[in-house]
Amino acid sequence: FDTAFHQTMDEEAYLYAIPYRYYKQFGIRRYGFHGTSHQYVSRRAADILGKPYESLKLIICHLGNGASVSAIKDGRCIDTSMGLTPLEGLIMGTRSGDVDPGVLEMMAGKDGKNIHEVVRILNKESGVLGLSDGFSSDFRDLEDAYLEGNNPAATRAIKAFVLRVAKYIGAYAAELNGADAICFTAGIGENSPVIRELICSPYLEYLGVELDKEANNIRGKERIVSTPSAKTKVLVIPTNEELEIARHTLAIVKGK
Ligand code: AMP
Protein backbone atom coordinates (compact mmCIF):
# COMPACT_ATOMS: atom_id res chain seq x y z
CA PHE A 1 0.00 0.00 0.00
CA ASP A 2 1.11 3.58 -0.64
CA THR A 3 1.72 4.13 3.08
CA ALA A 4 4.05 1.12 3.54
CA PHE A 5 7.34 2.91 2.89
CA HIS A 6 6.62 5.30 5.78
CA GLN A 7 6.10 2.54 8.35
CA THR A 8 9.73 2.94 9.47
CA MET A 9 8.97 6.33 11.09
CA ASP A 10 9.54 6.50 14.85
CA GLU A 11 6.65 7.32 17.14
CA GLU A 12 7.85 10.88 17.77
CA ALA A 13 7.38 11.46 14.04
CA TYR A 14 4.09 9.63 13.55
CA LEU A 15 2.14 10.50 16.70
CA TYR A 16 -0.15 13.51 16.95
CA ALA A 17 0.04 15.40 20.25
CA ILE A 18 -3.56 14.52 21.13
CA PRO A 19 -4.70 12.18 23.93
CA TYR A 20 -2.80 8.91 23.43
CA ARG A 21 -5.97 6.84 23.59
CA TYR A 22 -6.95 8.10 20.11
CA TYR A 23 -3.91 6.30 18.79
CA LYS A 24 -4.46 3.20 20.95
CA GLN A 25 -8.20 2.89 20.33
CA PHE A 26 -8.60 4.18 16.77
CA GLY A 27 -5.12 4.13 15.20
CA ILE A 28 -5.15 7.90 14.71
CA ARG A 29 -1.58 8.72 13.71
CA ARG A 30 0.38 9.98 10.75
CA TYR A 31 0.71 7.36 8.00
CA GLY A 32 1.98 9.36 5.01
CA PHE A 33 1.26 8.71 1.31
CA HIS A 34 3.12 8.66 -2.03
CA GLY A 35 5.34 6.01 -0.41
CA THR A 36 5.84 4.11 -3.66
CA SER A 37 7.15 7.26 -5.33
CA HIS A 38 9.35 8.32 -2.40
CA GLN A 39 10.87 4.83 -2.32
CA TYR A 40 11.56 4.68 -6.06
CA VAL A 41 13.06 8.18 -6.19
CA SER A 42 15.23 7.79 -3.09
CA ARG A 43 16.69 4.48 -4.34
CA ARG A 44 17.29 5.97 -7.76
CA ALA A 45 19.05 8.95 -6.13
CA ALA A 46 21.52 6.56 -4.50
CA ASP A 47 22.21 4.96 -7.92
CA ILE A 48 22.77 8.36 -9.56
CA LEU A 49 25.01 9.58 -6.73
CA GLY A 50 26.90 6.25 -6.81
CA LYS A 51 26.63 5.80 -3.04
CA PRO A 52 25.08 3.04 -0.90
CA TYR A 53 21.39 3.78 -0.21
CA GLU A 54 21.96 3.04 3.47
CA SER A 55 24.62 5.77 3.77
CA LEU A 56 22.60 8.72 2.50
CA LYS A 57 20.49 11.55 3.92
CA LEU A 58 17.88 12.47 1.33
CA ILE A 59 14.93 14.85 1.08
CA ILE A 60 12.39 13.85 -1.56
CA CYS A 61 9.91 16.43 -2.84
CA HIS A 62 6.99 14.77 -4.66
CA LEU A 63 5.32 17.85 -6.14
CA GLY A 64 2.26 17.02 -8.20
CA ASN A 65 -1.41 17.79 -7.86
CA GLY A 66 -0.99 15.99 -4.53
CA ALA A 67 2.32 16.90 -2.92
CA SER A 68 4.48 15.61 -0.10
CA VAL A 69 8.05 15.74 1.20
CA SER A 70 9.87 12.92 2.94
CA ALA A 71 13.13 12.54 4.85
CA ILE A 72 15.17 9.38 4.25
CA LYS A 73 18.08 8.49 6.53
CA ASP A 74 20.28 5.41 6.22
CA GLY A 75 17.78 3.76 3.86
CA ARG A 76 14.62 4.33 5.87
CA CYS A 77 11.93 6.97 5.90
CA ILE A 78 12.08 8.98 9.15
CA ASP A 79 9.41 11.58 8.40
CA THR A 80 6.93 12.65 5.74
CA SER A 81 4.56 15.58 5.39
CA MET A 82 1.21 13.86 4.78
CA GLY A 83 -0.59 12.53 7.82
CA LEU A 84 -3.62 10.42 8.72
CA THR A 85 -5.00 11.59 5.38
CA PRO A 86 -3.32 13.26 2.39
CA LEU A 87 -4.59 16.65 3.59
CA GLU A 88 -1.66 17.45 5.89
CA GLY A 89 1.57 19.17 4.93
CA LEU A 90 2.25 21.05 1.71
CA ILE A 91 -0.09 23.37 -0.13
CA MET A 92 -1.41 21.29 -3.05
CA GLY A 93 -3.54 21.78 -6.17
CA THR A 94 -6.81 21.90 -4.23
CA ARG A 95 -5.76 20.77 -0.71
CA SER A 96 -4.89 23.29 1.98
CA GLY A 97 -2.11 21.32 3.66
CA ASP A 98 -1.38 22.39 7.25
CA VAL A 99 -3.94 24.71 8.84
CA ASP A 100 -4.72 25.62 12.43
CA PRO A 101 -7.69 23.39 13.38
CA GLY A 102 -9.24 26.56 14.82
CA VAL A 103 -9.76 27.63 11.21
CA LEU A 104 -12.14 24.68 10.73
CA GLU A 105 -14.25 25.75 13.70
CA MET A 106 -14.44 29.31 12.41
CA MET A 107 -15.23 28.30 8.81
CA ALA A 108 -18.04 26.09 10.13
CA GLY A 109 -19.38 28.74 12.51
CA LYS A 110 -19.19 31.74 10.15
CA ASP A 111 -20.29 29.90 7.01
CA GLY A 112 -22.94 27.56 8.46
CA LYS A 113 -21.10 24.40 7.37
CA ASN A 114 -20.82 21.06 9.11
CA ILE A 115 -17.46 19.33 9.67
CA HIS A 116 -17.79 17.16 6.54
CA GLU A 117 -18.44 20.18 4.34
CA VAL A 118 -15.49 22.05 5.82
CA VAL A 119 -13.16 19.10 5.26
CA ARG A 120 -14.44 18.81 1.67
CA ILE A 121 -13.61 22.50 1.09
CA LEU A 122 -10.11 21.94 2.54
CA ASN A 123 -9.65 19.01 0.14
CA LYS A 124 -11.32 20.25 -3.02
CA GLU A 125 -11.48 24.05 -3.06
CA SER A 126 -8.31 25.10 -1.26
CA GLY A 127 -4.58 24.88 -2.02
CA VAL A 128 -3.34 26.98 -4.94
CA LEU A 129 -6.88 26.94 -6.38
CA GLY A 130 -8.18 28.61 -3.22
CA LEU A 131 -5.22 30.95 -2.84
CA SER A 132 -5.54 32.11 -6.45
CA ASP A 133 -9.21 32.88 -5.81
CA GLY A 134 -10.36 30.11 -8.15
CA PHE A 135 -7.97 30.98 -11.02
CA SER A 136 -6.47 27.48 -11.41
CA SER A 137 -5.14 24.41 -9.63
CA ASP A 138 -2.89 23.67 -12.62
CA PHE A 139 0.69 24.85 -12.26
CA ARG A 140 1.03 25.43 -16.01
CA ASP A 141 -1.63 28.17 -15.82
CA LEU A 142 -0.29 29.54 -12.55
CA GLU A 143 3.30 29.63 -13.78
CA ASP A 144 2.40 31.33 -17.08
CA ALA A 145 0.44 33.99 -15.18
CA TYR A 146 3.24 34.37 -12.61
CA LEU A 147 5.82 34.88 -15.36
CA GLU A 148 3.63 37.43 -17.13
CA GLY A 149 3.67 39.29 -13.82
CA ASN A 150 0.23 40.84 -13.96
CA ASN A 151 -1.81 38.30 -12.02
CA PRO A 152 -1.47 38.94 -8.25
CA ALA A 153 -3.67 35.94 -7.43
CA ALA A 154 -1.40 33.50 -9.29
CA THR A 155 1.71 35.13 -7.82
CA ARG A 156 0.29 34.79 -4.30
CA ALA A 157 -0.46 31.10 -4.85
CA ILE A 158 2.98 30.30 -6.29
CA LYS A 159 4.81 32.19 -3.53
CA ALA A 160 2.84 30.45 -0.78
CA PHE A 161 3.35 27.01 -2.37
CA VAL A 162 7.10 27.55 -2.69
CA LEU A 163 7.43 28.90 0.86
CA ARG A 164 5.69 25.84 2.31
CA VAL A 165 7.97 23.44 0.41
CA ALA A 166 11.04 25.37 1.60
CA LYS A 167 9.79 25.23 5.21
CA TYR A 168 9.41 21.45 5.08
CA ILE A 169 12.84 21.01 3.48
CA GLY A 170 14.28 23.17 6.28
CA ALA A 171 12.53 21.10 8.93
CA TYR A 172 13.74 17.83 7.41
CA ALA A 173 17.29 19.15 6.98
CA ALA A 174 17.21 19.70 10.76
CA GLU A 175 15.78 16.23 11.43
CA LEU A 176 18.42 14.64 9.21
CA ASN A 177 21.14 16.95 10.55
CA GLY A 178 21.99 17.95 6.97
CA ALA A 179 21.19 16.40 3.62
CA ASP A 180 23.29 14.87 0.86
CA ALA A 181 20.66 15.58 -1.76
CA ILE A 182 17.26 17.10 -2.40
CA CYS A 183 15.27 15.33 -5.13
CA PHE A 184 12.37 16.73 -7.14
CA THR A 185 9.75 14.49 -8.73
CA ALA A 186 6.10 14.29 -10.00
CA GLY A 187 4.31 16.69 -12.39
CA ILE A 188 5.63 19.97 -10.99
CA GLY A 189 8.91 18.68 -9.54
CA GLU A 190 9.89 17.03 -12.83
CA ASN A 191 8.61 19.67 -15.22
CA SER A 192 8.99 23.09 -13.68
CA PRO A 193 12.46 24.70 -13.67
CA VAL A 194 10.82 27.87 -12.35
CA ILE A 195 9.35 26.26 -9.23
CA ARG A 196 12.59 24.35 -8.53
CA GLU A 197 14.56 27.57 -8.74
CA LEU A 198 12.13 29.51 -6.53
CA ILE A 199 12.44 26.80 -3.86
CA CYS A 200 16.23 26.53 -4.00
CA SER A 201 17.11 30.20 -4.16
CA PRO A 202 17.31 31.96 -1.83
CA TYR A 203 15.66 29.65 0.71
CA LEU A 204 18.11 26.74 0.59
CA GLU A 205 21.40 28.54 0.02
CA TYR A 206 22.36 28.10 3.70
CA LEU A 207 22.36 24.32 3.08
CA GLY A 208 24.95 24.70 0.34
CA VAL A 209 22.39 24.28 -2.44
CA GLU A 210 23.62 25.85 -5.68
CA LEU A 211 21.46 25.35 -8.73
CA ASP A 212 23.10 25.13 -12.17
CA LYS A 213 20.57 27.21 -14.11
CA GLU A 214 21.39 25.62 -17.44
CA ALA A 215 21.20 22.06 -16.10
CA ASN A 216 17.97 22.97 -14.30
CA ASN A 217 16.34 24.01 -17.56
CA ILE A 218 14.90 20.55 -18.24
CA ARG A 219 11.52 18.85 -18.10
CA GLY A 220 10.85 15.21 -17.35
CA LYS A 221 14.47 14.06 -17.47
CA GLU A 222 16.73 12.52 -14.88
CA ARG A 223 19.60 14.86 -14.07
CA ILE A 224 21.75 16.42 -11.35
CA VAL A 225 20.79 20.10 -11.55
CA SER A 226 23.13 21.52 -8.91
CA THR A 227 26.66 22.80 -9.59
CA PRO A 228 29.55 20.34 -9.12
CA SER A 229 30.69 22.28 -6.03
CA ALA A 230 27.25 22.32 -4.34
CA LYS A 231 27.41 20.84 -0.83
CA THR A 232 23.84 19.58 -1.04
CA LYS A 233 23.07 18.11 -4.46
CA VAL A 234 19.79 18.75 -6.26
CA LEU A 235 18.39 16.01 -8.49
CA VAL A 236 15.44 15.77 -10.84
CA ILE A 237 14.17 12.18 -10.98
CA PRO A 238 10.99 11.30 -12.88
CA THR A 239 9.05 8.98 -10.61
CA ASN A 240 8.18 5.45 -11.69
CA GLU A 241 5.59 4.04 -9.32
CA GLU A 242 4.67 1.25 -11.76
CA LEU A 243 8.23 -0.12 -11.74
CA GLU A 244 8.41 0.09 -7.94
CA ILE A 245 5.10 -1.81 -7.62
CA ALA A 246 6.37 -4.43 -10.09
CA ARG A 247 9.54 -4.87 -7.99
CA HIS A 248 7.49 -5.35 -4.83
CA THR A 249 5.22 -7.81 -6.61
CA LEU A 250 8.21 -9.79 -7.88
CA ALA A 251 9.66 -9.93 -4.37
CA ILE A 252 6.36 -11.28 -3.01
CA VAL A 253 6.00 -13.82 -5.83
CA LYS A 254 9.55 -15.01 -5.15
CA GLY A 255 8.67 -15.25 -1.46
CA LYS A 256 11.29 -12.72 -0.32
P1 AMP B 1 0.87 14.91 -11.10
O1 AMP B 1 -0.19 14.91 -10.01
O2 AMP B 1 2.18 14.35 -10.65
O3 AMP B 1 0.40 14.33 -12.41
O4 AMP B 1 1.18 16.47 -11.41
C1 AMP B 1 0.19 17.32 -11.91
C2 AMP B 1 0.68 18.76 -11.78
O5 AMP B 1 1.91 18.91 -12.52
C3 AMP B 1 -0.30 19.79 -12.33
O6 AMP B 1 -0.42 20.89 -11.45
C4 AMP B 1 0.38 20.21 -13.61
O7 AMP B 1 0.05 21.50 -13.96
C5 AMP B 1 1.84 20.12 -13.24
N1 AMP B 1 2.66 20.12 -14.44
C6 AMP B 1 2.69 19.21 -15.44
N2 AMP B 1 3.52 19.62 -16.42
C7 AMP B 1 4.02 20.83 -16.04
C8 AMP B 1 4.91 21.78 -16.62
N3 AMP B 1 5.45 21.56 -17.81
N4 AMP B 1 5.17 22.92 -15.92
C9 AMP B 1 4.62 23.14 -14.72
N5 AMP B 1 3.76 22.29 -14.13
C10 AMP B 1 3.47 21.15 -14.78
Side-chain angles (χ1 to χ4, degrees):
F1 198 54
D2 214 26
T3 57
F5 180 60
H6 306 302
Q7 284 291 302
T8 50
M9 287 192 289
D10 289 329
E11 62 177 7
E12 60 266 36
Y14 71 67
L15 285 178
Y16 289 111
I18 58 176
Y20 192 62
R21 68 182 181 84
Y22 286 103
Y23 168 62
K24 294 295 278 180
Q25 267 179 270
F26 306 113
I28 296 178
R29 51 158 282 182
R30 307 182 60 254
Y31 290 97
F33 296 85
H34 293 145
T36 317
S37 175
H38 286 288
Q39 184 164 21
Y40 171 81
V41 171
S42 55
R43 282 192 182 281
R44 191 70 204 130
D47 291 344
I48 295 167
L49 294 169
K51 299 214 170 121
Y53 187 49
E54 292 73 21
S55 74
L56 287 168
K57 297 193 273 193
L58 301 167
I59 298 174
I60 314 297
C61 305
H62 177 110
L63 309 179
N65 196 33
S68 64
V69 185
S70 67
I72 318 296
K73 189 177 190 182
D74 305 334
R76 68 184 192 104
C77 175
I78 62 161
D79 211 344
T80 194
S81 59
M82 284 179 166
L84 174 74
T85 75
L87 188 51
E88 191 177 342
L90 300 181
I91 293 169
M92 310 182 210
T94 62
R95 294 190 196 115
S96 62
D98 299 335
V99 289
D100 175 353
V103 171
L104 280 70
E105 191 181 20
M106 196 145 171
M107 282 169 71
K110 295 275 180 198
D111 210 17
K113 303 262 191 278
N114 66 35
I115 185 71
H116 305 292
E117 289 167 328
V118 170
V119 172
R120 191 195 61 77
I121 292 168
L122 293 180
N123 270 298
K124 303 278 187 202
E125 296 177 20
S126 301
V128 288
L129 178 67
L131 275 168
S132 68
D133 201 13
F135 174 67
S136 183
S137 67
D138 191 315
F139 269 73
R140 283 164 289 204
D141 304 334
L142 290 163
E143 211 180 287
D144 288 348
Y146 170 81
L147 292 174
E148 278 168 26
N150 53 9
N151 185 329
T155 300
R156 172 169 73 223
I158 294 252
K159 282 186 165 178
F161 173 84
V162 162
L163 175 64
R164 184 75 59 86
V165 178
K167 277 184 175 179
Y168 266 94
I169 293 174
Y172 289 171
E175 260 184 90
L176 292 164
N177 194 16
D180 295 296
I182 297 166
C183 308
F184 288 101
T185 193
I188 303 157
E190 292 167 23
N191 294 303
S192 177
V194 172
I195 298 290
R196 290 193 297 262
E197 188 173 344
L198 287 171
I199 293 168
C200 290
S201 178
Y203 291 123
L204 306 180
E205 284 167 2
Y206 78 101
L207 278 174
V209 164
E210 239 175 55
L211 218 53
D212 175 336
K213 288 196 181 181
E214 213 177 299
N216 184 46
N217 195 20
I218 47 145
R219 298 179 196 278
K221 283 197 196 125
E222 199 175 85
R223 186 182 287 177
I224 297 178
V225 297
S226 49
T227 62
S229 60
K231 183 165 161 252
T232 300
K233 308 286 177 223
V234 181
L235 280 68
V236 175
I237 303 179
T239 196
N240 194 339
E241 288 159 302
E242 294 82 359
L243 178 59
E244 193 62 35
I245 291 167
R247 283 179 182 150
H248 283 258
T249 309
L250 187 64
I252 290 168
V253 170
K254 285 187 167 174
K256 284 186 187 162

